[in-house]
Amino acid sequence: MTSRKPKDAKGAENEAQYAEAYPFHVKRSDGTEMPAEYSQYERVEEGSKPIIEWQNKLGQALAAELLPDMTQLYYLPEFPAHYHLRVYQAKEDTKRSQAKHYYLFGYPEEPGGSKARKYYRSPNHFLPHLLWLVGDSEDRGDCACEFCSGSKPITSKAAKAKALPSSGQTTVAAATSAPPSAPIHSSSATAPTQKNTAASQSDKQRPTNQPSAGIQQHTPHEPQIAAPHQAPAPDPGPSAPQPPYPVAHDVSVLFRAGEVVWFKNNNSWRVGMILASGAALTIAPFGHPLYQTQEVIKQETDIRPFLAFSIPQINAGLHEFKGQALAQMDWQVLQEKFGAHTDASRREGLAIEATKLAATRVDQCFSTFNPLQGTVLNYDVFGGIFLGAEKICIGEAVRILFKREQQDSAPEKGMPIVMVIEMIYVGRQKGNLMLKGSMWKLKYSSLAQQPETSSQVQLPATMIGEKKFRDGILLNRGWRVEWVLLKPNVSVDEAAIRGRFYETGRLTPILNPAQFETMLQQQVVEDIQTLLNNRGDSNGPRVGRVSNRAQAVAGAVPVGVPASLGPDVLEA
């Protein structure tokens, strides 16, 4: 075992967590040296915090793919030969957030090819190529990375990958047919266990999917593992508000009116807002005030949650408009600037850029509905919220980011942790959004064990549906799952909410039909939530609260096209 030794003080936090982590050596490399003319990308010093973070994430991701039954932490002691991290700071960031962008260079360039160097923009982006490097295949056609495959969607699998363990590390035996049990702690680093996990969900990076065409992805945003978001709760007074509103009419609907989603448009994916949901969904595609779109009717199978894909990078000439409503921009001037007033293809291209701007704004804002009579001092209380692209109501489950030290134990692989929303409140002075609820964890139990959670506990429909789906798969093997309360009365700010919690049995057949069939055949359920991004991952400024849903998409959909939010939604 090896201790991580960052050179800078900021990287010291990684040392404690990875003090006894195992090195995962990657001996093969296809990397090439970086040419001198790329001096605007400054090389990151070895041992610095960004390098350690990349190497920790990559080592843990490799272990999750290749050693799924191991419980130890892993890291890369070094990148493959000639691969190295460089930093670039965009000019538009220098006067504001001083944001720095880190890229991994080293991908081999073709002789006589374009001078534009290919680089990996995040650990997730590089992972498919790294898996290919540790595998047996010499054929780049077996590599699933963007550059080798020529395919925009990035997966987390590579063909015929095998581990190259270092000393102190042992390959694991083939998984048994039994489902993962509760964590089994072992003092031996080499002893395989029944726990089907290599790290907590906070440590394992989810894949970043990208739309295939129409809106092309250039820079998937690598979401940061949230630092703690447990926030001090306002004094709730003697009692929590009792919502006078009935359960939302669309609580059982996968995609809801007012939500922003991706929808299939021939061979590409576009962004739009759902106007009405039902057996078929009516969607208003995003455009801009001088590029009017027509409503389309789509089936559920042709729609993806907004967080299933990342927003592509916006044209540099439009960065100054990030966060603005499209209705506030002078599109006549912009059409002339980009030559879109005379060229049809450029007109279409500008409309795509407008869609990216609108989608980024939506992701960074929120609006509230159904005001409640509450007793929270200096806060207004609500029954629901449009948080980024999604609609969330009191009594529903959401995906949550939390501190590692707040976990009572590492979650089992494929087993989600959620927060059931009990209160939504917004500060009257600062407009800060807070949410209060209870934390729940899904765990495996044998049929012979007594349930930990009473059947009388009222859980959201999605959590009940998740348990029913998993129980049906595990029944013949003598196992079941149950939701266990981790912590009641937890208050968090908006940055802690990753997004809606989706049932595996409903979303997986849409996102990945092949994976769903594998689940059924192998009777092992994987957590579909790992295929989703987090709300707020888009590379844009925080917009905060807007007055209503129409203001969130102002200028992106034609004026006078309202979403049928339903009789149980009163925006306020």
Side-chain angles (χ1 to χ4, degrees), residues 15-291:
E15 185 174 356
Q17 183 184 2
Y18 282 81
E20 297 186 348
Y22 287 89
F24 209 130
H25 292 281
V26 179
K27 298 179 180 179
R28 185 161 70 111
S29 179
D30 62 347
T32 58
E33 290 288 350
M34 180 83 165
E37 61 264 26
Y38 278 78
S39 58
Q40 70 268 34
Y41 293 88
E42 181 181 352
R43 186 158 185 160
V44 179
E45 182 183 4
E46 290 297 326
S48 63
K49 181 180 177 180
I51 287 183
I52 288 179
E53 288 180 345
W54 273 64
Q55 291 174 345
N56 287 348
K57 291 177 182 178
L58 286 169
Q60 204 52 28
L62 275 180
E65 294 285 350
L66 306 177
L67 306 171
D69 291 299
M70 298 299 281
T71 60
Q72 295 83 8
L73 291 175
Y74 291 84
Y75 69 96
L76 288 188
E78 65 276 321
F79 294 120
H82 301 306
Y83 280 92
H84 57 280
L85 201 64
R86 288 182 177 258
V87 60
Y88 174 76
Q89 184 168 326
K91 292 181 179 180
E92 64 269 14
D93 292 324
T94 55
K95 294 183 180 180
R96 299 194 306 226
S97 63
Q98 300 290 323
K100 294 182 178 179
H101 308 281
Y102 295 93
Y103 305 109
L104 187 69
F105 284 84
Y107 185 84
E109 302 299 316
E110 297 180 5
S114 171
K115 292 184 179 180
R117 301 288 295 189
K118 296 182 177 69
Y119 50 77
Y120 294 99
R121 300 173 288 272
S122 69
N124 266 353
H125 195 198
F126 183 54
L127 178 58
H129 195 69
L130 188 62
L131 283 165
W132 176 74
L133 287 175
V134 301
D136 291 325
S137 175
E138 299 286 342
D139 183 359
R140 290 190 183 276
D142 289 335
C143 178
C145 89
E146 176 182 345
F147 306 135
C148 291
S149 67
S151 174
K152 285 294 180 182
I154 298 174
T155 67
S156 62
K157 301 291 184 181
K160 303 178 181 178
K162 70 173 183 179
L164 298 176
S166 63
S167 58
Q169 174 183 320
T170 303
T171 56
V172 297
T176 67
S177 59
S181 65
I184 297 177
H185 301 286
S186 171
S187 59
S188 170
T190 61
T193 72
Q194 290 293 322
K195 182 179 176 185
N196 191 17
T197 180
S200 73
Q201 288 172 323
S202 296
D203 294 326
K204 183 179 178 182
Q205 293 295 297
R206 63 188 178 282
T208 304
N209 298 319
Q210 306 164 24
S212 59
I215 295 184
Q216 288 295 334
Q217 172 83 0
H218 298 294
T219 314
H221 178 68
E222 176 69 11
Q224 298 296 317
I225 304 272
H229 287 296
Q230 174 88 14
D235 181 8
S239 63
Q242 297 299 315
Y245 298 94
V247 175
H249 71 285
D250 55 3
V251 68
S252 62
V253 176
L254 192 58
F255 303 113
R256 304 166 175 179
E259 291 191 324
V260 173
V261 295
W262 295 89
F263 66 92
K264 198 161 189 178
N265 179 47
N266 297 321
N267 293 323
S268 64
W269 292 92
R270 298 293 295 267
V271 177
M273 183 175 71
I274 299 175
L275 303 180
S277 59
L281 297 97
T282 304
I283 299 176
F286 278 5
H288 60 73
L290 298 184
Y291 186 93

Side-chain angles (χ1 to χ4, degrees), residues 485-500:
L485 180 64
L486 286 180
K487 190 175 182 181
N489 301 320
V490 176
S491 292
V492 299
D493 60 29
E494 66 174 289
I497 306 301
R498 298 173 60 190
R500 282 176 55 189

